[in-house]
Amino acid sequence: MMSIRKVLMAVGLSVTAGVGMASATDYDPLRKDARMHNELLGASVAYLIDENCDALTLRKLRLLNKAFSLRKHAMTLGFSHSEVMAYVDSDTEQDRFRAIAEPLLASKGAVAGQEETYCAVGRAEIEKRSFVGSLLYER
């Protein structure tokens, strides 16, 4: 399963022990926040491209910078560091983002099992200088 947590872990953010205890938190404000949604979705799309296209890879330092900035933004919405990480680590949220990212990639031409289609989508995002494209580079 694609994991937003894996994206954050790949760039050095760690999830602290006991984070799962925040499950009673109402994450609706994070789900409804346009910046949170768009950037986590963009990271999810970039992650799927990275996983399915050997020619492209994540810009881990850029992703780390974006992750820290997004965490800071979430904290301005009243969430603690642990709550933000619990949200990102949530299986429900990971499934939700995957359910959005996969059809989005398919609408752009990505076909499961066809690496070059993911590469083509990634290269197009890089050329457009989109958020997703800013998180990828050609090896």
Side-chain angles (χ1 to χ4, degrees), residues 8 22-23 47 55-56 63 71-72 74 76 86 88 100 103-104 106 133:
L8 296 178
S23 62
Y47 177 83
L56 300 176
L63 187 57
R71 182 186 68 192
K72 184 177 178 181
T76 68
V88 168
I100 298 168
L104 179 63

Side-chain angles (χ1 to χ4, degrees), residues 4 36-46 97 100-101 104 131-132:
I4 299 167
M36 288 294 297
H37 175 80
N38 292 335
E39 291 187 21
L40 287 173
L41 178 58
S44 298
V45 169
F97 277 104
I100 298 168
L104 179 63
F131 181 78
V132 170

Side-chain angles (χ1 to χ4, degrees), residues 1-61:
M1 166 168 51
M2 188 277 301
S3 166
I4 299 167
R5 177 177 181 252
K6 284 183 185 177
V7 172
L8 296 178
M9 294 297 285
V11 297
L13 287 181
S14 62
V15 179
T16 58
V19 162
M21 298 172 72
S23 62
T25 301
D26 177 12
Y27 293 120
D28 221 32
L30 292 176
R31 288 184 197 105
K32 291 180 179 178
D33 184 79
R35 180 177 173 194
M36 288 294 297
H37 175 80
N38 292 335
E39 291 187 21
L40 287 173
L41 178 58
S44 298
V45 169
Y47 177 83
L48 285 171
I49 292 169
D50 173 69
E51 285 294 302
N52 289 283
C53 172
D54 288 339
L56 300 176
T57 191
L58 289 171
R59 292 180 179 271
K60 292 180 179 148
L61 289 177

